[in-house]
Amino acid sequence: LSIDLERDITKISKSLGSVRDLDVLGLWLQGFMADSALDEKESKQARKALQRLQRRRQKQFKQMCSTLKGNRYRQFTEEFQEWLKSPSFKAGAEWPIRLVLPDILLPLINKLLLHPGWLAAIAPHQESAGPIDEWSPNSEIIGDQVEIYLAEYGTILHDLRKQAKRVRYQTEFFKDFYDSAYTEQTQEFRTIQDLLGQLQDSQVLSDFLVQEMGPRWKEFIPSLEGYMRQQRLEQWQQWQPIQQKYLSTQ
């Protein structure tokens, strides 16, 4: 693909992704409202937040439709159709897939395993810092500790999630070439992606509420704020054993 075409694909995918993100947040907020016993005041504020989210979604959906009807998407589909008629490959495409597949996958997996996100919020077992394999996630999560961690490490964990997503999609594509242990590992990559994605979605919803209702939105819908905190705590507790596993030398 040309650089311009790759850039166009990125812009198209972002347009689609923006609508997808708002769909996820809308479903999450609707689920919260259905499952929670809100008083009339909180229920009114929650409905207002949902309406604002739906209006933003409608705006993003119109932009997405405009993108899919625009020149950028048309040019992409035309060039892709032309490539399908007479596909061209790099020289390595002539090699047997079983020969080159490890070399295709290992750089992606290495980048995941060496990602600094694994080191988020870990601490040494003793007061003096020792080797990394003697460190572990802080298991004493109290008060606002998770909120502090997410404020400090949220960006790098989101980047770790994106790398896990890349690895998951690539490895799932080649499941037929490996055994059941490989399939189980791809499922674990998906678990990592989903769990970190849930933490990210919660942060995106918080940012949306601040933008739409102001920094005092927590006073208007305290049940939602408490529910989100509890969700993030549970998600962080699920994340810690996975983090510990990937920090282990074993």
Side-chain angles (χ1 to χ4, degrees):
L1 296 177
S2 66
I3 295 177
D4 290 341
L5 191 55
E6 288 187 3
R7 188 182 299 118
D8 288 344
I9 293 173
T10 299
K11 292 180 180 179
I12 292 168
S13 64
K14 284 184 177 180
S15 178
L16 296 171
S18 297
V19 175
R20 173 266 174 199
D21 290 344
L22 292 172
D23 283 340
V24 170
L25 296 184
L27 290 172
W28 190 94
L29 189 54
Q30 289 174 353
F32 162 77
M33 294 170 62
D35 296 338
S36 303
L38 303 177
D39 59 33
E40 182 58 32
K41 183 178 179 181
E42 281 192 288
S43 181
K44 180 179 179 180
Q45 293 294 334
R47 289 196 301 271
K48 185 184 296 185
L50 180 60
Q51 289 170 355
R52 291 179 176 180
L53 191 149
Q54 289 172 336
R55 284 198 295 269
R56 181 178 292 192
R57 195 264 182 193
Q58 290 173 352
K59 181 179 179 180
Q60 290 290 343
F61 185 79
K62 289 181 180 178
Q63 292 179 0
M64 182 192 73
C65 291
S66 177
T67 296
L68 296 178
K69 294 177 181 178
N71 291 332
R72 176 175 287 119
Y73 186 72
R74 178 184 54 78
Q75 180 181 358
F76 160 68
T77 55
E78 289 178 354
E79 290 192 29
F80 190 65
Q81 290 295 330
E82 287 298 316
W83 183 87
L84 288 174
K85 293 177 182 177
S86 181
S88 59
F89 303 95
K90 295 181 179 180
E94 303 297 328
W95 296 3
I97 184 63
R98 292 187 182 276
L99 177 64
V100 300
L101 187 51
D103 301 305
I104 293 174
L105 296 178
L106 282 174
L108 281 170
I109 295 174
N110 288 342
K111 191 173 181 180
L112 174 65
L113 296 179
L114 294 174
H115 197 285
W118 296 111
L119 303 178
I122 66 169
H125 289 311
Q126 301 175 350
E127 293 183 3
S128 59
I132 287 296
D133 62 338
E134 296 179 5
W135 292 37
S136 63
N138 181 11
S139 59
E140 298 179 1
I141 306 297
I142 57 176
D144 294 334
Q145 194 65 58
V146 171
E147 308 304 313
I148 295 172
Y149 284 159
L150 289 175
E152 183 174 358
Y153 302 110
T155 299
I156 199 169
L157 289 174
H158 179 50
D159 191 71
L160 175 60
R161 178 237 178 185
K162 291 193 291 186
Q163 183 60 25
K165 180 180 178 181
R166 297 185 190 103
V167 172
R168 169 213 163 180
Y169 286 145
Q170 285 282 20
T171 53
E172 282 186 343
F173 192 72
F174 298 109
K175 286 191 295 185
D176 291 343
F177 294 91
Y178 292 100
D179 60 14
S180 59
Y182 177 93
T183 300
E184 291 175 5
Q185 183 62 58
T186 64
Q187 293 170 347
E188 186 162 287
F189 290 147
R190 179 170 186 166
T191 298
I192 295 169
Q193 175 198 340
D194 289 345
L195 189 54
L196 293 177
Q198 290 168 13
L199 285 168
Q200 174 66 16
D201 288 341
S202 179
Q203 186 58 51
V204 172
L205 180 57
S206 294
D207 293 342
F208 167 80
L209 292 170
V210 170
Q211 293 170 9
E212 293 294 330
M213 304 180 70
R216 296 180 58 193
W217 73 266
K218 300 174 184 179
E219 300 176 19
F220 304 143
I221 324 177
S223 295
L224 175 58
E225 196 267 342
Y227 182 79
M228 292 172 66
R229 281 176 173 266
Q230 182 62 32
Q231 288 283 302
R232 287 193 288 263
L233 173 60
E234 293 176 2
Q235 290 158 2
W236 191 271
Q237 290 171 338
Q238 294 174 46
W239 159 246
Q240 286 185 306
I242 298 175
Q243 183 185 22
Q244 180 67 71
K245 174 180 177 180
Y246 283 82
L247 290 173
S248 171
T249 55
Q250 296 179 355

